[in-house]
Amino acid sequence: MRRALKAWVIGATLGALACSEPIGPPRPTAVLDGRPEVAMHFLRWPDRGSAPRFVVVPRLPGRVLASAQAEPTPLERYQASIWARRGRAEQLRIDYAGSGGNAPFLQVTVPADALLRLPDGSAVAEGDSVLITLTIDSSLVRVKFGPSGLQFNPTSPLALDVYYGGAEQDLDGDGDVDADDELLREQRLGVWYQELTGIPWVRVPAAHDATLKRFSVAVFHFSGFAVSW
């Protein structure tokens, strides 16, 4: 009989997978090369006079990826959770519900052997479960994952796909979308993480598909992630 572990949940801020495996850094020991939050240029959700809306797209039985044909569920309070169990793959997909229709935003794939250690350092045994919670920022393209400190298998990490097509595309904030924004998107835009609130942000190595406006990242431990330049 499987043992259900007590859920470690935090409430804080924050399609297809890339053909190549995403890459990412091990858990850092210092943030000396990080960037302070005041120097970040976070992508923003479009300002249309109301708060952005998101929907959870359910995974259909027998499908590897979540399907946009399934009936989406409105996301309450910018927060969603899934139970991840060692020995079984899980997935969560969230779309941005814009005025022109839904656009993919976030896809989290937890391989069957991804769960490694709980925040207290104890190992996750076969069949054990952990409640994974994510909180989306209502203004910025930023999300925070919990439980903070949950660690994943370095040879089979959690896969995170972040789509930014539904975000504001005027990256430089000059009032129009032009070649300057295209240059920023191709050369400077990236995924950044913040291990603890208040400390500098660090850029994460990620596979970038500029056509699909998607970053694919391997996640080895939970923290906050954002798309910025």
Side-chain angles (χ1 to χ4, degrees), residues 53-56 73-81 94 134 136:
R53 296 185 302 111
F54 302 91
V55 294
V56 176
T73 303
L75 188 63
E76 300 293 337
R77 298 182 300 277
Y78 298 106
Q79 193 172 83
S81 299
I94 296 175
L134 60 89
I136 300 171

Side-chain angles (χ1 to χ4, degrees), residues 24-202:
R27 187 178 181 88
T29 57
V31 290
L32 298 178
D33 295 328
R35 180 185 295 179
E37 186 154 326
V38 294
M40 299 289 287
H41 300 275
F42 297 110
L43 257 63
R44 294 183 171 274
W45 299 114
D47 183 6
R48 296 191 171 95
S50 61
R53 296 185 302 111
F54 302 91
V55 294
V56 176
V57 180
R59 177 179 176 179
L60 294 179
R63 290 181 180 266
V64 176
L65 300 176
S67 171
Q69 303 304 314
E71 186 65 28
T73 303
L75 188 63
E76 300 293 337
R77 298 182 300 277
Y78 298 106
Q79 193 172 83
S81 299
I82 57 169
W83 281 100
R85 187 176 74 186
R86 185 169 176 82
R88 183 180 68 189
E90 295 291 348
Q91 189 175 84
L92 175 66
R93 172 177 159 182
I94 296 175
D95 284 3
Y96 167 74
S99 58
N102 292 357
F105 166 45
L106 206 67
Q107 185 155 285
V108 179
T109 303
V110 187
D113 57 347
L115 293 174
L116 184 64
R117 294 189 180 279
L118 295 172
D120 64 3
S122 59
V124 180
E126 190 76 13
D128 286 346
S129 299
V130 179
L131 185 63
I132 290 177
T133 300
L134 60 89
T135 306
I136 300 171
D137 192 298
S138 61
S139 300
L140 311 174
V141 183
R142 182 166 67 178
V143 61
K144 190 160 188 177
F145 289 87
S148 179
L150 180 65
Q151 298 180 42
F152 298 97
N153 189 338
T155 62
S156 185
L158 178 145
L160 172 63
D161 284 292
V162 183
Y163 295 79
Y164 57 92
E168 175 59 61
Q169 298 300 304
D170 178 16
L171 272 63
D172 58 11
D174 65 355
D176 60 13
V177 179
D178 54 21
D180 292 335
D181 300 298
E182 181 72 19
L183 193 64
L184 285 173
R185 179 165 55 249
E186 293 182 353
Q187 297 187 5
R188 299 184 61 182
L189 196 64
V191 176
W192 297 68
Y193 83 97
Q194 184 184 49
E195 189 166 2
L196 297 171
T197 302
I199 69 173
W201 289 80
V202 179

